[in-house]
Amino acid sequence: MKVLAWLAPVAFGLMAVRWARRRWAVIAVTGSSMTPTFHEGDRVLARQRPKAFAVGDVVVLETPGSGSPPVRRTVKRVVAIGGGTVPEEAAGLVAAGAVVPPRHLVVLGDNRTLSADSRHQGYFPADRVFGLVLRRLG
């Protein structure tokens, strides 16, 4: 009987941890593309697989990479969403004033001189967004 008394809270705790790990993730920022907002080594809390995005949101993108791991995660700021227009500051591979296709985003790093973003890679499919950054940790 005493075993059952502690088994239920432990099982509940394990289920809560599993649920939280599917909902949120801690991501380490690498590189300088998001300075001054985030710096190399900062850790951010992100809500995984958000349903919607807004201009100004900071997102974690999954991009195919070479090597290990095969998928890279990068942190960028959303500057246009599907149906919106590409701002002048994002002109490059995509033309300023162009309409962003549905289910796509235009993203930029806050440090424009050191960021590989939509200016170089074009539109990002919204389904490649791993998470929505909620806040910096610590």
Side-chain angles (χ1 to χ4, degrees):
M1 195 57 103
K2 288 185 180 187
V3 171
L4 291 178
W6 65 265
L7 187 58
V10 168
F12 178 76
L14 290 173
M15 288 187 328
V17 167
R18 186 175 179 200
W19 174 81
R21 292 183 87 186
R22 283 191 281 181
R23 188 123 170 111
W24 296 291
V26 175
I27 305 294
V29 175
T30 58
S32 305
S33 70
M34 285 301 290
T35 56
T37 307
F38 301 114
H39 300 279
E40 174 88 30
D42 282 351
R43 295 177 332 134
V44 296
L45 178 65
R47 186 176 64 235
Q48 294 184 46
R49 306 293 175 208
K51 302 285 187 229
F53 315 98
V55 171
D57 286 345
V58 176
V59 294
V60 179
L61 298 164
E62 291 185 329
T63 57
S66 57
S68 181
V71 174
R72 289 186 38 214
R73 290 189 178 144
T74 58
V75 178
K76 302 292 179 199
R77 186 173 304 279
V78 176
V79 296
I81 60 175
T85 57
V86 176
E88 187 69 38
E89 64 185 340
L93 194 58
V94 295
V99 176
V100 180
R103 297 179 306 282
H104 285 78
L105 306 171
V106 176
V107 297
L108 294 176
D110 287 354
N111 184 351
R112 306 288 195 262
T113 58
L114 295 176
S115 181
D117 46 39
S118 289
R119 295 170 299 162
H120 312 98
Q121 299 172 13
Y123 301 113
F124 281 84
D127 64 1
R128 289 198 358 219
V129 173
F130 172 78
L132 175 67
V133 174
L134 302 174
R135 64 184 304 252
R136 179 188 353 234
L137 299 174

